[in-house]
């Protein structure tokens, strides 16, 4: 590896710079963590999700830049990675012996909020659409581009999610 002198920019193999990636991370990290929190349901898993996706994206940053909007690419990667994580966790883990003590879980201040509970209960794609639409303020076209689906899919997923949220929150309210 060659040293980078002050004022120079380190360039990865594909032509994108590591400084560009660092700037992207610095500017996008708060929003990505919020999005990850809404996708996963807690801030710790959100941090893990963001870190995992940014590690993969950073390794091929130049290719991501050639695809167009890197933020949309990262959001889509986060949604896909979260879905994969969710599918893996659904599998049953068998253990030979029961643990002696239950591990203490961290306290999430949103744990008992009705809206948060209802949002967490949505399927991953519906949750992603709701978060991107109402939390990040993206348009239907931007959401479709970020998730790699059609605008019609975004509309139908949003409609189903809103109906589910209204029903769940109407019951508790």
């Amino acid at each position: 590896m060659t040293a980078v002198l002050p004022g120079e920019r380190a360039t990865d193999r594909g032509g994108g710079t590591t400084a560009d990636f660092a700037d992207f991370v610095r500017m996008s990290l708060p929003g990505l963590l919020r999005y990850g929190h809404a996708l996963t349901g807690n801030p710790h898993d959100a941090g893990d999700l963001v870190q995992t996706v940014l590690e993969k994206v950073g390794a091929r940053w130049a290719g991501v830049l050639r695809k167009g909007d890197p933020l949309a690419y990262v959001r889509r990667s986060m949604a896909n990675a979260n879905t994969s994580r969710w599918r893996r966790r659904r599998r049953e883990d068998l253990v030979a012996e029961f643990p002696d003590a239950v591990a203490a879980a961290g306290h999430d201040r949103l744990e008992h909020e009705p809206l948060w509970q209802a949002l967490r209960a949505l399927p991953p794609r519906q949750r992603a659409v709701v978060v991107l639409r109402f939390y990040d303020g993206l348009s239907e076209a931007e959401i479709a581009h970020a998730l790699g689906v059609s605008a019609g899919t975004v509309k139908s997923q949003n409609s189903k999610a809103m109906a589910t949220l209204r029903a769940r929150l109407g019951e508790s309210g």
Side-chain angles (χ1 to χ4, degrees), residues 40-88:
T40 63
N42 73 58
H44 305 293
D45 288 342
D48 291 345
L49 177 66
V50 171
Q51 180 177 350
T52 301
V53 169
L54 288 177
E55 285 175 2
K56 291 177 182 177
V57 168
R60 53 182 191 272
W61 181 243
V64 171
L65 287 177
R66 283 193 297 272
K67 291 181 188 269
D69 183 8
L71 186 58
Y73 182 88
V74 170
R75 283 183 179 139
R76 182 175 182 186
S77 297
M78 286 175 64
N80 291 343
N82 186 59
T83 301
S84 296
R85 182 183 132 274
W86 175 76
R87 286 179 179 149
R88 280 192 306 274

Side-chain angles (χ1 to χ4, degrees), residues 72 76 129 132 138-155:
R76 182 175 182 186
V129 168
L132 290 173
L138 271 63
S139 69
E140 289 170 350
E142 291 169 325
I143 296 168
H145 179 70
L147 297 179
V149 297
S150 70
T153 300
V154 171
K155 290 178 185 179

